Amino acid sequence: MYRQGDVLIVPVEEDAVPSTVAALPQQPRDARGRLVLALGEVTGHAHAVVGPGELRREAGPFAAAWLRLSEGGRVVHEEHAVIPLPKGWYRVVRQREYTPGAVRVVAD
């Protein structure tokens, strides 16, 4: 497993990736050519992947995203160390926090 700030990246064997992932919309790259895993609402910084691959995101604020890296890549962020990722599939989960009366995605 890999963690960068409030983003958890979990390797998944290809045969364990749900068949429904193929039907999810492929996320576009940002203006810098990165696959954005999470955008910081407070700072404007982004947890993003640099390298060839695709990102598909389930609907909903607590839903997972699915990342496929055909050649490996790097997770980058303006305030964190770079994390190299080998090729393969990954499930991307945002950290959540509890506040009285609600559960929400952690604001970065």
Side-chain angles (χ1 to χ4, degrees):
M1 283 191 267
Y2 306 87
R3 179 176 292 284
Q4 189 184 68
D6 59 337
V7 175
L8 177 66
I9 304 166
V10 182
V12 178
E13 293 294 327
E14 186 167 0
D15 61 352
V17 175
S19 60
T20 55
V21 170
L24 294 173
Q26 188 167 328
Q27 300 297 297
R29 291 179 180 267
D30 70 359
R32 294 162 62 181
R34 308 173 304 171
L35 295 168
V36 176
L37 305 178
L39 186 60
E41 299 84 3
V42 176
T43 64
H45 297 158
H47 298 278
V49 173
V50 177
E54 63 184 67
L55 179 66
R56 297 179 183 269
R57 196 177 304 277
E58 296 174 359
F62 302 116
W66 295 88
L67 174 66
R68 185 185 67 81
L69 298 175
S70 57
E71 299 176 20
R74 298 180 342 256
V75 183
V76 297
H77 186 279
E78 291 84 347
E79 297 175 337
H80 298 283
V82 172
I83 299 173
L85 295 175
K87 74 177 187 174
W89 278 94
Y90 298 88
R91 189 168 145 259
V92 181
V93 182
R94 293 283 307 270
Q95 182 177 339
R96 301 168 196 155
E97 63 186 359
Y98 173 79
T99 59
V103 174
R104 64 182 181 198
V105 173
V106 172
D108 185 15

